[in-house]
Every structure is written in structure tokens, then in C-alpha cells.
Amino acid sequence: MNVKVLFRKDLKELIVSKKMLILLGVFVFFALSGPLSAKFEPELMKAYSSKLGPGSIINVPAPVYTDAYKDTFNNLKQAGIIVVILLVCSTIVDEKRNGTAAFLLTKGLSRSSFLLSKIASRVLIFTLACGAASFVCILYTFIIFGEFSIPNLYLAFLLYWIYGVFIICVSILVSVLARTFTQAFFAGFVAYFVISLLNMVPYLNRYLPGRLNTIMSDILSEKTLPDHWTIPLGITLLLSILSVLLSQRIFKEQEL
Amino acid sequence: MSYILETGQLCKKFGAFTAVNNITVKVPALSVYGILGANGAGKTTTLKMLCGLSRPTSGSIRIDGEELQFGKTHDSRLGFVPDVPQYYKWMKPRELMLFVGNLHHKQGPSLTSRIDELLHKVGLEGCNQKIGSLSRGMKQRLGIAQALISEPTILVLDEPTSALDPIGRSEVMDLIRSLAGELTVLLSSHNLHDVEEICDRILMMDQGRVIADDSLLSIKSQFALNTLELQTEDMYLLQSAASLLSGHSEVLEVEILEDKQSLSISVVNLRAAQIYIPSMMSSAGIPLSLFKVTEPTLEQFFLKMVTAR
């Protein structure tokens, strides 16, 4: 069966439903607001301290260009990922409830192809959003600060992309399991909460996907890469693949 | 007779509830086969199993001699239209048809002409609206058109007229009627009139079981009502005829149908009654303006079968 046809349809649907525009808009907004807030936050703080009255002193260090990346990544890691969950967790459950999944699957399309097309289209728009955000963030940081280069900056963006792909795969799994959009939405956030919570467990957190966020922060603080940083990376990729396989397995057994 | 679709002891349970109970059916090729039953009789579950959308608890399904497995559909051989077809609202009918055609590896001028032909057939050739703004009847007709793109051998329609107004219903019924002889049509309905109008073979279901599976003609002949209808010129003559017939030993029941100004007569032997009743009327000097055997309706048969269970 022609998976390419379905993939093209899924992409077009993401454009028509404005999901792609929303994701791009949010990511580019964060990429612009990061350098801006890094530049002007100290001045705002100074202005605020002068209003506190005599004797009130707030010491704010002078902004540096790495702060722009830190602010951008902080927004992308939290609000950006929440937007991704919101946009992805309804993917399968919507098609099941609308009856469009049954419509497609009676055309001889395999359930695996159906699922893979959904994942691939979501990963593609996430990649575009990440690419646009990276470009805008680097360019705007350079315009504002006159500097932009950090060792391993590309790696920070890559790690964020891998973390985002992992979140997409988990959201798809949740969407396969859920029966309603509310269930999917709720379960998606529970999954995100659990992933974030596990990152606080000592020792174990060194090997989990949440560790990628810490590595990103280290890169942006120009610290050296931690030892064995590839282990959480490998585990995240493995968990992403397992999520896809599990989604596939469950979806194959589901009645529509 | 060749059978395009066969089920053997097909069964579907949801926990302790049996939705479909040991259904064995043979659908002849090129027939218009109606699955009839009240809501909850198991019609939709049966169709979903036939389309590979629901896994049978036990039993087998064969399409064109080939065993159907859950999760695998017979790509181009089976076209399915659900009761309330839902397609991508942002697409236009032609766009949907093109998408479905491409899914079936069809493209180029042959696909374009097939789309033109089908949209013309369902009366949507000039429709440039988005699917989201189409009426239910138009969506149902579009559903049939998209299901025919792959030139299937079986068209499965789940309650095709249930959500339609009289005009939409009439259009869809005409469309289904026009497909008879071109391919096998399998449709489910709780509307006895629809089934009676277009199906040449009927499967009646009640509480997941088959209560009848035969041709419409055979079902009707099996269920002879032994009822006749008689009309005279006026009510006075009708009452005289009623009292005359009430005394006959072979007449079981006489009822005056005031709205039709006629008599409904139940008799022991239909053939004999066709001879002695006109003779009695003639002797009594009662002229008949109408005398006919009342044809049993599918509704009467269905109610009798369900009540008997």
C-alpha cells in the first residue's frame, strides 16, 4: 500500500489544521524571546530595584550571549515540549473516534504503515520547528550580542531534537492507548510528569532521557561534556523505538 | 451458485455479552444481500468483522474463497461505507477520491476518468465544497463513490439510509439499486422497507442470531398470511359481507378496516377461499370492487419471527 500517499496527506493535514504553523510559531517565538530576555532582563531588574526605594540593591551580572541560548532552551524544554505533547497526543485517538482510521484501514493499508506515517509526519514538523528555532536563535544572538559560537552547540540542539522525538513517540503511544482526547491529553501530561520526576532520582537519572536536558545545560554553560553522556542518549533512542514498537503492537490488536 | 462471501460459525463476544452468535452465511455473487435486524441485533459487529476491523471470537470468514484475517483487509475487493461516513473535512470530494485512488496505486488519466465517472454516478460531479460542509446524504453518496474507486467485488454498506432525510434516502436507494448486477452489495438496515425495496436475499438477525436467511420471495412464501382483502361499493354492503363471512366455518377472522373501507379476512385455506368468497358474494348480490390476496410484508414476518423467539 502506498505509504507515501498517506504521509503526504498527513503532512497536508498538519498544514491545513495549522498545527505546523502553531509549532513553528511557538518555537520561533522562543528563539526570539530567549536572546531578547537575556539582553534586557538585567536592565529590567535594575529598573525594578530603583523602584524599591533607597537602600535596595539587586546585583545583576552583565548579560552574555550564552544566556540567550540558556533562556531559549529553558523555554523549549518546558513550554515547547508541552506544546509538542498537546499537538501529538490526539493524533491516533482523533482518527479512531472520527472513524477516519477505519476508513483508511479498509483500504488495505496496514496498521503499521498508518502508525509510521503519523509518527514520521510529526517528527518532520518537529524537525522543521527545531531547525527554524536554531537558525533564528543563533542569528538573533549574533545580532544582539555580536557573538554566537559555543563548543558543541550543535550537540545541544541535536540532544533537544532527540528528546523531542522521544516525547513524540511516547505521546503517540498514549494516543494509541487512549479512548478519548481528554484521556490522551491527561495521560500525555502524566507521562511527561513521570519522565521529569524520574530525572530527580539519584544515580538512576544519569541513564534516563531527562539527563539529556542536564547535558544541554552543561553545554550551554560551556562546561565539558560529562563522562558516558552517550548512555542516556542511547537509552532515549532505545525507549523511543520501544514506544513505537509497543504502539504498533497495541494498535494491531485494537478493534475500530 | 458461486458465493463471494462465506462465514462459518462466526461468533463475537464482548466479555459475557455475545454480540454475534454462530453465524453461518453464504452470500451469492452479484446479489443485493440485506442484513436486517433491530438496533443491537449484531449487524454492525458482523460487518466490522467482515471488513477486518473487529476480531471474531471464533469462526471463519472467506472472501472469494480466501480466509480473512483480522487486521488485514482485502484491499481492492471490498469497499466499505460506514453508517455515518466521516472523511477528512478539509478535503473536497474530488480530492478525497484522488487520495483513495492513489492509496490503491491508481493514478493518471485512468484514475481521473474513473473519478469523473463515479462522481457523475453519485451526482457530485460539480461539487466543489469541502466535505465538512456537505449534507449527510451527499456524504453517504460520496462514501459509496470512494468505496467504488478500487472496483471492488463487494460493497459493504452499514445502515446507508439511517441518518438521512427522505430525499437523501431516496437518492441513496436509487444509487444502490443502480449498482445491482454490477457487484455484490451487502447492506445492513433496521429499516424493513429499505431492505424489502432493493434486496433480493435477506439475513434476519435478532440478539446476535440468524432467524432467517433466504430470498425475499422464499421468505414471503414461507410466511403465507392466508389473508384476503375485499372491498365493496359502500359501508352497508361491506357490513353485510362481513356478517355473511363471519358465519363461514373456514373463515377465522373478519375485520372491517374503516380507513380503507375494506374487509380483512383470515382464512384456513387461501386457495379455497379464493373460490368460495366470490361465490358467496355473488349469491348474496354483493358486487366486489376489489378482491385480492394480502401480501405479507417483511415487517409482519420479522415481528412474527422475533415474537416467536
CSV table of all heavy atoms in Angstrom, one decimal, chain A residues 18-73:
chain,number,residue,atom,x,y,z
A,18,LYS,N,-3.3,23.9,10.8
A,18,LYS,CA,-2.5,24.9,11.4
A,18,LYS,C,-1.6,24.4,12.5
A,18,LYS,O,-1.0,25.2,13.3
A,18,LYS,CB,-3.3,26.1,11.9
A,18,LYS,CG,-4.0,26.8,10.7
A,18,LYS,CD,-4.6,28.1,11.1
A,18,LYS,CE,-5.2,28.9,10.0
A,18,LYS,NZ,-6.2,28.2,9.2
A,19,LYS,N,-1.5,23.1,12.7
A,19,LYS,CA,-0.7,22.5,13.8
A,19,LYS,C,0.8,22.9,13.5
A,19,LYS,O,1.6,23.1,14.4
A,19,LYS,CB,-0.9,21.0,13.9
A,19,LYS,CG,-2.1,20.6,14.6
A,19,LYS,CD,-2.3,19.2,14.8
A,19,LYS,CE,-3.5,18.8,15.6
A,19,LYS,NZ,-3.8,17.4,15.8
A,20,MET,N,1.2,22.8,12.2
A,20,MET,CA,2.6,23.1,11.8
A,20,MET,C,2.9,24.5,12.1
A,20,MET,O,3.9,24.9,12.7
A,20,MET,CB,2.8,22.7,10.3
A,20,MET,CG,4.2,22.9,9.9
A,20,MET,SD,4.4,22.7,8.2
A,20,MET,CE,4.9,21.0,8.0
A,21,LEU,N,1.9,25.4,11.8
A,21,LEU,CA,2.1,26.8,12.0
A,21,LEU,C,2.2,27.1,13.5
A,21,LEU,O,3.1,27.9,13.9
A,21,LEU,CB,0.9,27.6,11.4
A,21,LEU,CG,1.0,29.1,11.3
A,21,LEU,CD1,2.1,29.4,10.2
A,21,LEU,CD2,-0.3,29.7,10.9
A,22,ILE,N,1.4,26.5,14.3
A,22,ILE,CA,1.5,26.7,15.7
A,22,ILE,C,2.8,26.3,16.3
A,22,ILE,O,3.5,27.1,17.0
A,22,ILE,CB,0.3,25.9,16.4
A,22,ILE,CG1,-1.1,26.5,16.0
A,22,ILE,CG2,0.5,26.0,17.9
A,22,ILE,CD1,-2.2,25.7,16.4
A,23,LEU,N,3.3,25.1,15.9
A,23,LEU,CA,4.6,24.6,16.4
A,23,LEU,C,5.7,25.5,15.9
A,23,LEU,O,6.6,25.9,16.7
A,23,LEU,CB,4.8,23.2,15.9
A,23,LEU,CG,5.9,22.4,16.7
A,23,LEU,CD1,5.4,22.2,18.1
A,23,LEU,CD2,6.2,21.1,16.0
A,24,LEU,N,5.7,25.9,14.7
A,24,LEU,CA,6.8,26.8,14.1
A,24,LEU,C,6.7,28.1,14.8
A,24,LEU,O,7.7,28.7,15.3
A,24,LEU,CB,6.6,27.0,12.6
A,24,LEU,CG,7.2,25.9,11.7
A,24,LEU,CD1,6.8,26.2,10.3
A,24,LEU,CD2,8.7,26.0,11.8
A,25,GLY,N,5.5,28.6,15.0
A,25,GLY,CA,5.3,29.9,15.6
A,25,GLY,C,5.8,29.9,17.1
A,25,GLY,O,6.6,30.8,17.5
A,26,VAL,N,5.5,28.9,17.8
A,26,VAL,CA,5.9,28.8,19.2
A,26,VAL,C,7.4,28.7,19.3
A,26,VAL,O,8.1,29.4,20.1
A,26,VAL,CB,5.2,27.6,19.9
A,26,VAL,CG1,5.8,27.3,21.3
A,26,VAL,CG2,3.7,27.9,20.1
A,27,PHE,N,8.0,27.8,18.5
A,27,PHE,CA,9.4,27.6,18.6
A,27,PHE,C,10.2,28.9,18.1
A,27,PHE,O,11.2,29.2,18.8
A,27,PHE,CB,9.8,26.4,17.7
A,27,PHE,CG,9.7,25.1,18.5
A,27,PHE,CD1,8.6,24.8,19.2
A,27,PHE,CD2,10.8,24.2,18.5
A,27,PHE,CE1,8.5,23.6,19.9
A,27,PHE,CE2,10.7,23.0,19.2
A,27,PHE,CZ,9.5,22.7,19.9
A,28,VAL,N,9.7,29.5,17.1
A,28,VAL,CA,10.4,30.7,16.6
A,28,VAL,C,10.3,31.9,17.7
A,28,VAL,O,11.2,32.6,17.9
A,28,VAL,CB,9.9,31.2,15.2
A,28,VAL,CG1,10.4,32.6,14.9
A,28,VAL,CG2,10.4,30.2,14.2
A,29,PHE,N,9.1,31.9,18.3
A,29,PHE,CA,8.9,32.9,19.3
A,29,PHE,C,9.9,32.7,20.5
A,29,PHE,O,10.5,33.7,21.0
A,29,PHE,CB,7.4,32.8,19.9
A,29,PHE,CG,7.2,33.6,21.1
A,29,PHE,CD1,7.0,35.0,21.0
A,29,PHE,CD2,7.1,33.1,22.3
A,29,PHE,CE1,6.8,35.8,22.1
A,29,PHE,CE2,6.9,33.9,23.5
A,29,PHE,CZ,6.7,35.2,23.3
A,30,PHE,N,10.1,31.5,20.9
A,30,PHE,CA,11.0,31.2,22.0
A,30,PHE,C,12.5,31.5,21.5
A,30,PHE,O,13.3,32.0,22.3
A,30,PHE,CB,11.0,29.7,22.4
A,30,PHE,CG,9.7,29.4,23.2
A,30,PHE,CD1,9.1,28.2,23.1
A,30,PHE,CD2,9.1,30.3,24.1
A,30,PHE,CE1,7.9,27.9,23.8
A,30,PHE,CE2,8.0,30.1,24.8
A,30,PHE,CZ,7.4,28.8,24.7
A,31,ALA,N,12.7,31.2,20.2
A,31,ALA,CA,14.1,31.5,19.7
A,31,ALA,C,14.3,33.0,19.7
A,31,ALA,O,15.5,33.5,19.8
A,31,ALA,CB,14.2,30.9,18.3
A,32,LEU,N,13.3,33.8,19.5
A,32,LEU,CA,13.4,35.3,19.5
A,32,LEU,C,13.4,35.8,20.9
A,32,LEU,O,14.2,36.8,21.3
A,32,LEU,CB,12.3,35.9,18.7
A,32,LEU,CG,12.3,35.8,17.2
A,32,LEU,CD1,11.0,36.2,16.6
A,32,LEU,CD2,13.5,36.5,16.6
A,33,SER,N,12.6,35.3,21.8
A,33,SER,CA,12.4,35.8,23.1
A,33,SER,C,13.6,35.5,24.0
A,33,SER,O,13.9,36.2,24.9
A,33,SER,CB,11.1,35.3,23.8
A,33,SER,OG,11.2,33.9,23.9
A,34,GLY,N,14.3,34.4,23.7
A,34,GLY,CA,15.5,34.0,24.5
A,34,GLY,C,16.6,35.0,24.5
A,34,GLY,O,16.9,35.6,25.6
A,35,PRO,N,17.1,35.4,23.3
A,35,PRO,CA,18.1,36.4,23.2
A,35,PRO,C,17.7,37.8,23.8
A,35,PRO,O,18.4,38.5,24.5
A,35,PRO,CB,18.5,36.5,21.7
A,35,PRO,CG,18.1,35.2,21.2
A,35,PRO,CD,16.9,34.8,22.0
A,36,LEU,N,16.4,38.1,23.5
A,36,LEU,CA,15.8,39.4,23.9
A,36,LEU,C,15.8,39.5,25.5
A,36,LEU,O,16.2,40.4,26.1
A,36,LEU,CB,14.4,39.6,23.4
A,36,LEU,CG,14.3,40.3,22.1
A,36,LEU,CD1,12.8,40.4,21.7
A,36,LEU,CD2,14.8,41.7,22.2
A,37,SER,N,15.3,38.4,26.1
A,37,SER,CA,15.1,38.4,27.5
A,37,SER,C,16.5,38.4,28.2
A,37,SER,O,16.8,39.0,29.2
A,37,SER,CB,14.3,37.3,28.0
A,37,SER,OG,14.9,36.0,27.8
A,38,ALA,N,17.5,37.7,27.6
A,38,ALA,CA,18.8,37.6,28.1
A,38,ALA,C,19.5,39.0,28.1
A,38,ALA,O,20.2,39.4,29.0
A,38,ALA,CB,19.7,36.6,27.3
A,39,LYS,N,19.2,39.7,27.0
A,39,LYS,CA,19.8,41.1,26.9
A,39,LYS,C,19.1,42.1,27.8
A,39,LYS,O,19.8,42.9,28.4
A,39,LYS,CB,19.6,41.5,25.4
A,39,LYS,CG,20.1,42.9,25.1
A,39,LYS,CD,21.6,42.9,25.0
A,39,LYS,CE,22.1,44.3,24.6
A,39,LYS,NZ,23.6,44.3,24.7
A,40,PHE,N,17.8,42.0,27.9
A,40,PHE,CA,17.1,43.1,28.6
A,40,PHE,C,16.7,42.8,30.0
A,40,PHE,O,16.3,43.7,30.7
A,40,PHE,CB,15.9,43.6,27.8
A,40,PHE,CG,16.4,44.2,26.5
A,40,PHE,CD1,16.1,43.6,25.3
A,40,PHE,CD2,17.1,45.4,26.4
A,40,PHE,CE1,16.5,44.2,24.0
A,40,PHE,CE2,17.5,46.0,25.2
A,40,PHE,CZ,17.2,45.3,24.0
A,41,GLU,N,16.8,41.6,30.4
A,41,GLU,CA,16.4,41.2,31.8
A,41,GLU,C,17.2,41.9,32.8
A,41,GLU,O,16.6,42.5,33.8
A,41,GLU,CB,16.5,39.7,32.0
A,41,GLU,CG,15.6,39.2,33.1
A,41,GLU,CD,15.7,37.7,33.3
A,41,GLU,OE1,16.8,37.1,33.5
A,41,GLU,OE2,14.7,37.0,33.1
A,42,PRO,N,18.5,42.1,32.7
A,42,PRO,CA,19.3,42.8,33.7
A,42,PRO,C,18.8,44.3,33.8
A,42,PRO,O,18.7,44.8,34.9
A,42,PRO,CB,20.7,42.7,33.2
A,42,PRO,CG,20.8,41.5,32.3
A,42,PRO,CD,19.4,41.5,31.7
A,43,GLU,N,18.5,44.9,32.7
A,43,GLU,CA,18.1,46.3,32.7
A,43,GLU,C,16.7,46.4,33.4
A,43,GLU,O,16.5,47.3,34.1
A,43,GLU,CB,18.0,46.8,31.3
A,43,GLU,CG,19.4,47.1,30.7
A,43,GLU,CD,19.4,47.6,29.3
A,43,GLU,OE1,18.5,48.3,29.0
A,43,GLU,OE2,20.4,47.3,28.6
A,44,LEU,N,15.9,45.4,33.1
A,44,LEU,CA,14.5,45.4,33.8
A,44,LEU,C,14.7,45.3,35.3
A,44,LEU,O,14.0,45.9,36.0
A,44,LEU,CB,13.7,44.3,33.2
A,44,LEU,CG,13.1,44.5,31.8
A,44,LEU,CD1,12.5,43.2,31.3
A,44,LEU,CD2,12.1,45.6,31.8
A,45,MET,N,15.6,44.4,35.6
A,45,MET,CA,15.8,44.2,37.1
A,45,MET,C,16.3,45.4,37.7
A,45,MET,O,15.9,45.8,38.9
A,45,MET,CB,16.8,43.0,37.3
A,45,MET,CG,16.3,41.7,36.8
A,45,MET,SD,14.9,41.1,37.8
A,45,MET,CE,15.7,40.5,39.3
A,46,LYS,N,17.2,46.1,37.0
A,46,LYS,CA,17.8,47.4,37.6
A,46,LYS,C,16.7,48.4,37.8
A,46,LYS,O,16.6,49.1,38.8
A,46,LYS,CB,18.9,47.9,36.6
A,46,LYS,CG,20.2,47.4,36.9
A,46,LYS,CD,21.2,48.0,35.9
A,46,LYS,CE,22.5,47.2,35.7
A,46,LYS,NZ,23.3,47.6,34.6
A,47,ALA,N,15.8,48.5,36.7
A,47,ALA,CA,14.7,49.5,36.8
A,47,ALA,C,13.8,49.1,37.9
A,47,ALA,O,13.3,50.0,38.6
A,47,ALA,CB,14.0,49.4,35.4
A,48,TYR,N,13.6,47.9,38.2
A,48,TYR,CA,12.7,47.4,39.2
A,48,TYR,C,13.3,47.7,40.6
A,48,TYR,O,12.7,48.2,41.5
A,48,TYR,CB,12.5,45.9,39.1
A,48,TYR,CG,11.7,45.3,40.2
A,48,TYR,CD1,10.3,45.6,40.3
A,48,TYR,CD2,12.3,44.4,41.1
A,48,TYR,CE1,9.6,45.1,41.4
A,48,TYR,CE2,11.5,43.9,42.2
A,48,TYR,CZ,10.1,44.2,42.3
A,48,TYR,OH,9.4,43.7,43.3
A,49,SER,N,14.7,47.5,40.7
A,49,SER,CA,15.3,47.8,42.0
A,49,SER,C,15.3,49.3,42.4
A,49,SER,O,15.2,49.6,43.6
A,49,SER,CB,16.8,47.3,42.0
A,49,SER,OG,17.5,48.1,41.1
A,50,SER,N,15.3,50.1,41.4
A,50,SER,CA,15.3,51.6,41.6
A,50,SER,C,13.9,52.0,42.2
A,50,SER,O,13.8,53.0,42.9
A,50,SER,CB,15.6,52.4,40.4
A,50,SER,OG,14.6,52.2,39.4
A,51,LYS,N,12.9,51.2,41.9
A,51,LYS,CA,11.6,51.5,42.4
A,51,LYS,C,11.3,51.0,43.8
A,51,LYS,O,10.4,51.3,44.4
A,51,LYS,CB,10.5,50.8,41.5
A,51,LYS,CG,10.3,51.6,40.2
A,51,LYS,CD,9.2,51.0,39.4
A,51,LYS,CE,9.0,51.8,38.1
A,51,LYS,NZ,8.0,51.2,37.2
A,52,LEU,N,12.2,50.1,44.2
A,52,LEU,CA,12.1,49.5,45.6
A,52,LEU,C,12.4,50.5,46.7
A,52,LEU,O,12.1,50.3,47.9
A,52,LEU,CB,12.9,48.3,45.7
A,52,LEU,CG,12.5,47.0,44.9
A,52,LEU,CD1,13.5,45.9,45.1
A,52,LEU,CD2,11.1,46.6,45.4
A,53,GLY,N,13.1,51.6,46.3
A,53,GLY,CA,13.4,52.6,47.3
A,53,GLY,C,14.9,52.6,47.7
A,53,GLY,O,15.6,51.8,47.3
A,54,PRO,N,15.3,53.6,48.5
A,54,PRO,CA,16.7,53.7,48.8
A,54,PRO,C,17.2,52.5,49.7
A,54,PRO,O,16.4,52.0,50.5
A,54,PRO,CB,16.8,55.0,49.6
A,54,PRO,CG,15.4,55.5,49.9
A,54,PRO,CD,14.5,54.7,49.1
A,55,GLY,N,18.4,52.1,49.4
A,55,GLY,CA,19.0,51.0,50.2
A,55,GLY,C,18.7,49.7,49.5
A,55,GLY,O,19.4,48.7,49.9
A,56,SER,N,17.8,49.6,48.6
A,56,SER,CA,17.6,48.3,47.9
A,56,SER,C,18.5,48.1,46.7
A,56,SER,O,18.6,49.0,45.8
A,56,SER,CB,16.1,48.2,47.4
A,56,SER,OG,15.2,48.5,48.4
A,57,ILE,N,19.3,47.1,46.8
A,57,ILE,CA,20.3,46.9,45.7
A,57,ILE,C,20.1,45.4,45.2
A,57,ILE,O,20.1,44.5,46.0
A,57,ILE,CB,21.8,47.0,46.2
A,57,ILE,CG1,22.0,48.5,46.7
A,57,ILE,CG2,22.8,46.7,45.1
A,57,ILE,CD1,23.2,48.7,47.6
A,58,ILE,N,20.0,45.3,43.9
A,58,ILE,CA,19.9,44.0,43.3
A,58,ILE,C,21.1,43.9,42.3
A,58,ILE,O,21.3,44.8,41.4
A,58,ILE,CB,18.6,43.7,42.5
A,58,ILE,CG1,17.4,43.8,43.4
A,58,ILE,CG2,18.7,42.4,41.8
A,58,ILE,CD1,16.1,43.7,42.7
A,59,ASN,N,22.0,43.0,42.6
A,59,ASN,CA,23.2,42.8,41.7
A,59,ASN,C,22.9,41.9,40.6
A,59,ASN,O,22.5,40.7,40.8
A,59,ASN,CB,24.4,42.3,42.5
A,59,ASN,CG,24.9,43.3,43.5
A,59,ASN,OD1,25.1,44.5,43.1
A,59,ASN,ND2,25.3,43.0,44.7
A,60,VAL,N,22.9,42.4,39.4
A,60,VAL,CA,22.6,41.6,38.3
A,60,VAL,C,23.9,41.5,37.4
A,60,VAL,O,24.4,42.6,37.0
A,60,VAL,CB,21.4,42.2,37.4
A,60,VAL,CG1,21.1,41.3,36.3
A,60,VAL,CG2,20.2,42.5,38.3
A,61,PRO,N,24.4,40.3,37.1
A,61,PRO,CA,25.6,40.2,36.3
A,61,PRO,C,25.3,40.7,34.9
A,61,PRO,O,24.1,40.6,34.4
A,61,PRO,CB,25.9,38.8,36.3
A,61,PRO,CG,24.7,38.1,36.7
A,61,PRO,CD,23.9,39.0,37.5
A,62,ALA,N,26.3,41.2,34.2
A,62,ALA,CA,26.1,41.7,32.8
A,62,ALA,C,25.8,40.5,31.9
A,62,ALA,O,26.3,39.4,32.1
A,62,ALA,CB,27.4,42.3,32.3
A,63,PRO,N,24.8,40.7,31.0
A,63,PRO,CA,24.4,39.6,30.1
A,63,PRO,C,25.5,39.2,29.2
A,63,PRO,O,26.2,40.0,28.7
A,63,PRO,CB,23.2,40.2,29.4
A,63,PRO,CG,23.4,41.7,29.4
A,63,PRO,CD,24.1,42.0,30.6
A,64,VAL,N,25.5,37.9,29.0
A,64,VAL,CA,26.5,37.3,28.0
A,64,VAL,C,25.7,36.5,26.9
A,64,VAL,O,24.5,36.1,27.2
A,64,VAL,CB,27.6,36.4,28.6
A,64,VAL,CG1,28.6,37.3,29.4
A,64,VAL,CG2,27.0,35.4,29.5
A,65,TYR,N,26.3,36.3,25.8
A,65,TYR,CA,25.5,35.7,24.7
A,65,TYR,C,25.0,34.2,25.0
A,65,TYR,O,24.0,33.8,24.5
A,65,TYR,CB,26.3,35.7,23.4
A,65,TYR,CG,27.4,34.7,23.3
A,65,TYR,CD1,27.3,33.5,22.6
A,65,TYR,CD2,28.6,35.0,23.9
A,65,TYR,CE1,28.3,32.6,22.5
A,65,TYR,CE2,29.7,34.1,23.9
A,65,TYR,CZ,29.5,32.9,23.2
A,65,TYR,OH,30.5,32.0,23.1
A,66,THR,N,25.8,33.5,25.9
A,66,THR,CA,25.3,32.2,26.3
A,66,THR,C,24.0,32.2,27.0
A,66,THR,O,23.3,31.2,27.0
A,66,THR,CB,26.4,31.4,27.1
A,66,THR,OG1,26.8,32.3,28.2
A,66,THR,CG2,27.6,31.1,26.3
A,67,ASP,N,23.7,33.3,27.7
A,67,ASP,CA,22.4,33.4,28.4
A,67,ASP,C,21.2,33.3,27.4
A,67,ASP,O,20.2,32.8,27.8
A,67,ASP,CB,22.3,34.8,29.2
A,67,ASP,CG,23.3,34.8,30.3
A,67,ASP,OD1,23.8,33.7,30.8
A,67,ASP,OD2,23.7,35.9,30.7
A,68,ALA,N,21.5,33.8,26.2
A,68,ALA,CA,20.4,33.8,25.2
A,68,ALA,C,20.1,32.3,24.9
A,68,ALA,O,18.9,32.0,24.8
A,68,ALA,CB,20.9,34.5,23.9
A,69,TYR,N,21.1,31.5,24.7
A,69,TYR,CA,20.8,30.1,24.5
A,69,TYR,C,20.1,29.4,25.7
A,69,TYR,O,19.2,28.6,25.5
A,69,TYR,CB,22.1,29.4,24.1
A,69,TYR,CG,22.7,29.8,22.8
A,69,TYR,CD1,24.0,30.3,22.8
A,69,TYR,CD2,22.0,29.7,21.6
A,69,TYR,CE1,24.6,30.7,21.5
A,69,TYR,CE2,22.6,30.1,20.4
A,69,TYR,CZ,23.9,30.6,20.4
A,69,TYR,OH,24.4,31.0,19.2
A,70,LYS,N,20.6,29.8,26.9
A,70,LYS,CA,20.1,29.1,28.1
A,70,LYS,C,18.6,29.5,28.2
A,70,LYS,O,17.7,28.6,28.4
A,70,LYS,CB,20.8,29.6,29.3
A,70,LYS,CG,22.1,29.0,29.6
A,70,LYS,CD,22.7,29.5,30.8
A,70,LYS,CE,24.2,29.2,30.8
A,70,LYS,NZ,24.9,30.0,31.9
A,71,ASP,N,18.2,30.8,28.0
A,71,ASP,CA,16.8,31.2,28.1
A,71,ASP,C,16.0,30.4,27.0
A,71,ASP,O,14.9,30.0,27.3
A,71,ASP,CB,16.7,32.7,27.9
A,71,ASP,CG,17.1,33.4,29.2
A,71,ASP,OD1,17.4,32.7,30.1
A,71,ASP,OD2,17.0,34.7,29.2
A,72,THR,N,16.5,30.4,25.8
A,72,THR,CA,15.8,29.7,24.7
A,72,THR,C,15.6,28.3,25.0
A,72,THR,O,14.4,27.7,24.9
A,72,THR,CB,16.6,29.8,23.4
A,72,THR,OG1,16.8,31.2,23.1
A,72,THR,CG2,15.8,29.2,22.2
A,73,PHE,N,16.6,27.6,25.4
A,73,PHE,CA,16.5,26.1,25.7
A,73,PHE,C,15.6,25.9,26.9
A,73,PHE,O,14.8,24.9,26.9
A,73,PHE,CB,17.9,25.5,26.0
A,73,PHE,CG,18.5,25.0,24.7
A,73,PHE,CD1,19.3,25.8,23.9
A,73,PHE,CD2,18.2,23.7,24.3
A,73,PHE,CE1,19.8,25.4,22.7
A,73,PHE,CE2,18.8,23.2,23.1
A,73,PHE,CZ,19.6,24.1,22.3
